């Protein structure tokens, strides 16, 4: 039998898989803490500068002139990151996303070659180490370097962890596990807002947020290797071992479970196939832009949360909680035959763009229900739904042998959007509507472009490139047959 048939024997989502997936899913809370850390530790409180005669005062003189009027301890107050130094806060945020970019490039193909589990555990261990480096940073330069390194590890384990939640279960549960992962990240954002409210000093906040990673690392040590990855690498016996162990822990009998020794000639498949293979090349180009747009809008709106009017801690929590309704919507729409993955993702992206467009026609501080903040929150809701579908949809569009590499390239593009996101809110200096105009154009264009992708609802998942080619040929033949029947019907009814 193949792996999908084996999961029907083992149990597609039995008690053991629920525990394993739960460990991976709750780790997203820690991931969210690290991603959002700069929003609170980089908060800029109200301040005023005592004007002196020499306008060209140096950095030391600036320290003597600045007086902060809010009782906040952040990297801004410790290292006086105001005026000409203010860009360093956005730079630290961008360095985190630059780390995510490199992490996706390195960890994706690496986990396809040496395994999901060792790469995941190594990345999580070093993320915790570099997280403490952030909390203990003696100066801005060390702080910025630590954010880059944390991002590097965060990008790697985020990608591999997501793939593991998919590969531990049967295909019919992929949408659910993918949605749980995204939902928990949103809960993590909200919890970080609450944590920041109770722990104000930035070093204490960074330490508390990072300490959660120690617990998740200890829980992750017992996770098994992905049976799907083992099977695609030709390690059929090890894959059978893992599947039998899963079946035993699920309370099912799988003594006679034997996987077919198929063609594993693609087990060395590299990321180069994403460029060389015509079908994968087209899908990758479209998906890269979709992921970039999702990331730019998602993180642009989220990182701007502390800059909007109102309590900064409540704003951060709200930008996390507003995502939660997106996930039931996803589950509902992507499993309907009239919507599916493709139309749902395109629709949510276009709605996100439209919400951002509408903010340009609303005056700021209107105090009504229809305000810039409420429309921005609606945009965040829509783009969160699109982002969640993008993860699930991308996993189904790539064969197992190259899935992590495909997700890695898409995530790499996603991180480019993340790198640019911290600077987009600062475009308000040009015009108050400029950031939302950028988000609007990105959402609408990505939504239209995603309609070029094929639908994957209720379709088989390719394990190898040969299976992908076979499925593509079948889809083309089916389309030609439908076109022929349609033309024949029209000619008979003229």
């Amino acid at each position: 039998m193949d792996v999908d048939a084996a999961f029907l024997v083992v149990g597609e989502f039995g008690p053991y898989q629920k525990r394993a997936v739960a460990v991976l899913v709750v780790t997203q809370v820690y991931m969210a803490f690290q991603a959002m850390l700069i929003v609170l530790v980089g908060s800029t409180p109200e301040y005023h500068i005592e004007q002196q005669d020499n306008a060209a005062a140096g950095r030391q003189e600036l320290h003597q002139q600045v007086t902060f009027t809010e009782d906040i301890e952040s990297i801004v107050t410790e290292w006086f990151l105001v005026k000409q130094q203010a860009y360093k806060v956005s730079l630290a945020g961008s360095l985190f996303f630059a780390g995510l970019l490199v992490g996706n490039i390195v960890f994706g193909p690496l986990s396809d070659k040496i395994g999901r589990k060792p790469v995941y555990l190594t990345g999580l261990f070093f993320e915790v180490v570099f997280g403490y480096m952030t909390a203990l940073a003696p100066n801005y330069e060390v702080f910025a370097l630590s954010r880059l390194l944390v991002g590097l590890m965060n990008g790697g384990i985020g990608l591999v962890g997501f793939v593991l939640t998919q590969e531990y279960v049967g295909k019919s549960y992929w949408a659910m596990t993918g949605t749980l992962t995204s939902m928990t990240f949103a809960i993590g954002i909200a919890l970080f807002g609450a944590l920041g409210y109770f722990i104000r000093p930035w070093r204490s906040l960074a330490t508390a947020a990072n300490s959660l990673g120690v617990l998740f690392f200890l829980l992750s040590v017992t996770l098994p290797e992905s049976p799907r990855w083992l099977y695609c690498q030709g390690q059929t016996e090890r894959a059978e071992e893992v599947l039998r162990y899963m079946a035993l822990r699920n309370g099912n009998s799988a003594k006679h479970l034997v996987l077919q020794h198929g063609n594993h000639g693609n087990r060395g498949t590299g990321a180069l196939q994403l460029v060389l293979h015509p079908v994968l090349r087209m899908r990758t180009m479209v998906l890269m832009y979709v992921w970039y747009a999702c990331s730019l809008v998602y993180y642009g709106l989220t990182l701007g949360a502390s800059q909007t009017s109102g309590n900064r801690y409540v704003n951060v929590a709200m930008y996390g909680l507003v995502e939660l309704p997106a996930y039931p919507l996803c589950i509902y729409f992507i499993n309907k035959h009239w919507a599916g993955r493709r139309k749902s993702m395109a629709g949510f992206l276009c709605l996100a763009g439209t919400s951002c467009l509408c903010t340009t026609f609303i005056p700021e501080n209107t105090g009504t229900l229809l305000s810039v903040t409420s429309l921005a929150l609606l945009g965040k809701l829509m783009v969160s739904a699109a982002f969640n579908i993008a993860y699930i949809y991308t996993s189904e569009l790539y064969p197992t042998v190259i899935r992590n590499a495909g997700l890695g390239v898409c995530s790499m593009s996603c991180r480019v959007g993340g790198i640019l996101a911290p600077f987009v809110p600062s475009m308000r200096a040009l015009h108050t509507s400029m950031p939302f105009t950028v988000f609007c154009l990105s959402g609408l264009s990505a939504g239209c472009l995603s309609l070029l992708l094929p639908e994957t609802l209720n379709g088989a998942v390719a394990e190898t490139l040969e299976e992908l080619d076979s499925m593509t040929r079948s889809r083309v033949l089916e389309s030609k047959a439908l076109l022929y029947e349609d033309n024949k019907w029209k000619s008979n009814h003229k």
Side-chain angles (χ1 to χ4, degrees):
M1 63 179 75
D2 61 14
V3 180
D4 285 320
F7 270 110
L8 295 175
V9 175
V10 169
E12 288 195 286
F13 195 47
Y16 178 72
Q17 288 133 300
K18 287 175 183 175
R19 287 191 291 271
V21 168
V23 170
L24 294 166
V25 165
V26 294
T27 305
Q28 289 296 313
V29 173
Y30 171 67
M31 307 275 286
F33 281 11
Q34 291 295 353
M36 293 296 108
L37 190 70
I38 195 64
V39 176
L40 294 184
V41 304
S43 294
T44 303
E46 294 291 331
Y47 66 92
H48 68 265
I49 298 177
E50 297 173 9
Q51 295 298 325
Q52 294 186 359
D53 292 336
N54 63 332
R59 186 174 177 183
Q60 189 62 39
E61 287 77 7
L62 181 63
H63 290 195
Q64 297 168 1
Q65 296 172 28
V66 175
T67 303
F68 293 101
T69 57
E70 282 186 78
D71 185 21
I72 291 177
E73 290 183 40
S74 69
I75 62 171
V76 175
T77 61
E78 182 165 336
W79 296 316
F80 290 87
L81 304 181
V82 295
K83 304 296 282 184
Q84 294 90 346
Q85 302 294 317
Y87 75 92
K88 290 185 176 180
V89 178
S90 296
L91 179 61
S94 290
L95 284 172
F96 175 83
F97 286 102
L100 292 182
L101 169 62
V102 178
N104 293 150
I105 296 171
V106 174
F107 282 73
L110 192 63
S111 67
D112 278 336
K113 289 187 180 297
I114 67 173
R116 316 301 200 210
K117 182 181 176 179
V119 171
Y120 180 79
L121 290 177
T122 304
L124 184 54
F125 174 80
F126 281 108
E127 181 169 2
V128 172
V129 171
F130 296 137
Y132 284 120
M133 181 178 165
T134 293
L136 301 172
N139 52 49
Y140 173 79
E141 287 71 25
V142 174
F143 175 85
L145 175 63
S146 70
R147 297 318 295 158
L148 176 69
L149 294 172
V150 168
L152 179 71
M153 300 302 148
N154 193 288
I157 67 172
L159 176 70
V160 180
F162 176 81
V163 170
L164 278 173
T165 62
Q166 307 269 281
E167 296 186 350
Y168 280 161
V169 301
K171 184 183 178 295
S172 61
Y173 286 91
W174 280 18
M176 190 195 73
T177 56
T179 298
L180 283 173
T181 302
S182 301
M183 187 182 292
T184 312
F185 189 89
I187 293 170
I189 295 175
L191 289 175
F192 181 66
L195 187 68
Y197 178 79
F198 291 108
I199 305 176
R200 300 296 176 91
W202 78 267
R203 290 184 186 276
S204 300
L205 176 60
T207 302
N210 191 62
S211 296
L212 201 60
V214 178
L215 172 64
F216 293 139
F217 174 78
L218 295 174
L219 290 172
S220 300
V221 171
T222 59
L223 293 175
E225 182 55 272
S226 162
R228 290 181 184 273
W229 179 82
L230 290 169
Y231 178 69
C232 288
Q233 295 298 302
Q235 300 181 42
T236 312
E237 290 78 12
R238 283 190 62 197
E240 289 170 353
E241 264 181 53
V242 173
L243 288 167
R244 288 190 189 112
Y245 180 73
M246 284 183 173
L248 180 66
R249 297 294 297 273
N250 287 341
N252 297 326
S253 176
K255 292 180 181 178
H256 304 294
L257 188 150
V258 178
L259 294 173
Q260 63 187 22
H261 291 259
N263 176 24
H264 302 286
N266 286 318
R267 61 174 177 267
T269 298
L272 193 60
Q273 284 296 330
L274 299 175
V275 178
L276 298 177
H277 196 284
V279 175
L280 291 177
R281 181 169 61 243
M282 178 62 181
R283 291 183 184 182
T284 301
M285 287 171 62
V286 174
L287 287 169
M288 282 178 72
Y289 184 74
V290 168
W291 280 60
Y292 159 79
C294 284
S295 179
L296 182 70
V297 179
Y298 180 93
Y299 287 109
L301 291 172
T302 306
L303 295 175
S306 64
Q307 298 180 17
T308 53
S309 58
N311 186 291
R312 60 171 55 89
Y313 305 103
V314 173
N315 286 342
V316 171
M318 281 298 297
Y319 272 82
L321 292 174
V322 76
E323 293 184 40
L324 297 182
Y327 303 114
L329 283 175
C330 284
I331 292 292
Y332 177 78
F333 282 107
I334 65 176
N335 290 312
K336 296 295 180 182
H337 67 89
W338 44 266
R341 276 65 160 154
R342 184 174 67 106
K343 291 178 184 176
S344 296
M345 187 171 74
F348 282 124
L349 279 167
C350 289
L351 286 171
T354 304
S355 298
C356 292
L357 175 65
C358 291
T359 62
T360 61
F361 301 108
I362 304 292
E364 288 205 43
N365 302 317
T366 56
T368 61
L369 184 63
L370 190 64
S371 63
V372 171
T373 303
S374 62
L375 285 170
L377 287 169
L378 179 61
K380 177 72 188 299
L381 171 67
M382 293 296 117
V383 79
S384 299
F387 216 161
N388 180 54
I389 296 170
Y391 270 96
I392 298 165
Y393 194 21
T394 303
S395 291
E396 295 175 347
L397 285 169
Y398 285 113
T400 301
V401 291
I402 204 167
R403 183 171 297 123
N404 240 18
L407 277 166
V409 170
C410 290
S411 294
M412 176 184 71
S413 177
C414 165
R415 301 319 167 193
V416 174
I419 292 168
L420 297 176
F423 292 100
V424 176
S426 64
M427 294 174 72
R428 291 169 64 89
L430 300 175
H431 193 278
T432 54
S433 65
M434 187 61 73
F436 287 108
T437 302
V438 172
F439 299 147
C440 163
L441 294 174
S442 300
L444 291 174
S445 57
C448 294
L449 200 60
S450 63
L451 292 172
L452 296 174
L453 297 168
E455 182 54 66
T456 58
L457 178 63
N458 298 327
V461 176
E463 300 288 344
T464 64
L465 296 184
E466 283 81 1
E467 286 184 24
L468 176 67
D469 291 333
S470 175
M471 289 163 62
T472 304
R473 283 193 296 270
S474 299
R475 191 178 291 116
V476 170
L477 290 172
E478 184 180 345
S479 298
K480 287 182 177 179
L482 288 171
L483 183 62
Y484 173 76
E485 290 295 329
D486 185 52
N487 290 334
K488 185 178 178 182
W489 185 89
K490 287 178 180 177
S491 62
N492 290 337
H493 290 77
K494 279 185 178 179

